[in-house]
Amino acid sequence: MDSQTSQSSQASQASSPPHTFQVDLRGLVDLLSHHLYSSPKVYLRELLQNAVDAITARRAEQPGAPARVRLYAEGGTLRVEDSGVGLTESDVHSLLATIGRSSKRADGLQEARADFLGQFGIGLLACFVVAERIRVVSRSARTPDARPVEWTASDDGSYTVRTLSDDARPEPGTTVHLVARAGAGEWLSRERVLALARDFGALLPYDVRVGEEAVTDLPAPWDRPYPSPAARRVALARHCHEQFGFTPLDSIGLDVPLAGIRGVAYVLPSAVSPAQRARHRVHLKGMLLTERAEQLLPDWAFFVRCVLDTDSLRPTASREALYEDETLAAVREALGERIRSWLTGLAAGDPQRLTAFLSVHHLGVKSLARHDREILRTMLPWLPFETTDGQLSLEEFAQRHAVVHYTRTVEEFRQVAPIASAQGIGVVNGGYTYDSDLIEALPSVRPGTAVAELDADTVTAHLDPVEPAAELALADFLATARATLDPLGCDVVLRAFHPLSVPALHLDDRAARHEQARAEAEEHADELWAGILGSLRGGAPRARLVLNHLNPLVRRISSLPERELIGTATESLYGQALLMAQRPLRPADSALLNRAFLGLLEWATHREDEH
């Protein structure tokens, strides 16, 4: 019995009819407006897209068919007429009333989809973002005997379909009527419709008008003939200002036929951060796809903004961004190569313009040169670096110095630059973005060049030693100074160097700082962790305070009789040397500075009391 019941239940389940999803149209419209689309303005792009695709479909079968799109906006309504392929009554039921269905899949046109703008069949649904009612009147060009058909839909999800008399639409094509929803009337005003139509459709290949005013503006500015290169630059500069709001330093043609790309890149007139995401305007087969494309160019090309038209890139579902795939990666590389070629062309033929460009955007070129040895070789005489000899290119600096010394941080450079310059040591500041990488790559493009990171030993070795007798006479002073700074992980040495005005120099390197950080961590760690850190103790030299024997203040301090006062004065010299190097202060350093300052005040006021 149980077996029979089970079999009966299975049979009942097998014979039950399938269910279909029920779509809440209001909820779907809310989803579109708040999550898929960035702005209600995309409704006009969808209307233009449907009209252009309908004309493309008709011309695939009737090459001489008219290609017109007309928009009429008045009193919170919008009418869009096209001379496209049109729809029959069965088309209306299967296409307009089924969410997600695309006419581009129908009637053997699958193989021609590359000619269409739409890819996702959302179509008229987007119009409900601004409209409460949509009415479509269409007549098919494929079935000349079919009567016009009317499809009327409301935002509550209901729709009606009926056939009309022949005079309702004598010619093939489609007319879409929109009635604005409450609060959305502005989106259907004539001024707004004209502005949006020109923004989205300026490069469309068909005759598009709002009333009698033309929308399309062909050929594109980068494809137009000009009487001279200067006239072309002026026209493109005007176009850049219209699109982006700035006048460019230069413009770069982006003609890449194999990738289906035509356009122009505009060079920004002021420096921008490499971390700032560049936004470019991308048209897909003439229709503006997005004005915020971020992944179009290599990361190093953050100094340009692009406008281009393409027929090879894929849009995302919202058709407001580019789909990341192999095609986009290939296009990105091709566009990067065009910008590389422009740079090398400037270096070879227009050094004045290149200098003007690098004065603003050297950071972007340095970023490129890190990975492109040919660009580094080409740009070597032009890229500026901060050095002890002033702003120079690496090429010029290497010609002056047998060894190209460099520091890895700006602080290190500021610390040693005055002393190194006085001692004849050439140093390049490698602390800025990309500079260390380029300095280290110098021998690969300039064979025979010696490059070395500057460390404390190198600087100290170039400072003049003090006469042994003089240093021996100051043995007690040096012992007190060393004992004072030993808890801070700093040694004290005596040298004679210029300029005389510098009483002390704080020197360390990365190894010394690492050892200092390790020692501090070990001091505050528990027993287990302290043991681990202790095993990592390095043999690198510690930081050192180099006292200038030629400085009058150091001479006076070295002759003080009180050991306690010598210690306080040494702490003061140490703190002043740290501040001069613009080194970030550790808590122990800040405490030392406070202690030394108060100690000197106490000593000075104590002497006043004695008098």
Side-chain angles (χ1 to χ4, degrees), residues 105-118:
R105 298 186 180 93
D107 299 323
L109 289 177
Q110 177 69 26
E111 66 278 3
R113 285 190 70 193
D115 296 329
F116 296 98
L117 300 175

Side-chain angles (χ1 to χ4, degrees), residues 181-317:
R181 66 191 308 139
E186 181 191 356
W187 290 104
L188 271 62
S189 67
R190 187 182 186 282
E191 294 76 13
R192 180 62 67 92
V193 168
L194 178 60
L196 291 178
R198 284 177 171 167
D199 196 34
F200 283 120
L203 302 184
L204 289 174
Y206 304 136
D207 179 15
V208 182
R209 296 175 183 269
V210 176
E212 297 302 319
E213 295 195 53
V215 168
T216 52
D217 186 20
L218 294 175
W222 49 83
D223 285 332
R224 295 172 190 169
Y226 295 99
S228 67
R232 175 182 172 83
R233 281 197 296 271
V234 170
L236 289 179
R238 186 184 308 114
H239 177 253
C240 176
H241 197 274
E242 292 170 356
Q243 300 295 315
F244 297 112
F246 65 84
T247 301
L249 279 179
D250 207 345
S251 57
I252 308 168
L254 299 179
D255 184 9
V256 189
L258 291 178
I261 298 288
R262 295 283 296 172
V264 62
Y266 294 116
V267 181
L268 290 164
S270 56
V272 294
S273 167
Q276 179 179 331
R277 300 298 296 178
R279 294 186 170 185
H280 311 287
R281 291 176 63 90
V282 177
H283 296 255
L284 180 61
K285 304 179 183 70
M287 181 75 75
L288 179 66
L289 175 70
T290 178
E291 53 192 357
R292 301 190 306 274
E294 296 183 347
Q295 68 274 48
L296 187 64
L297 294 181
D299 290 341
W300 55 262
F302 54 82
F303 51 83
V304 298
R305 298 292 181 267
C306 295
V307 184
L308 55 84
D309 189 22
T310 175
D311 58 15
S312 62
L313 299 178
R314 289 175 57 196
T316 59

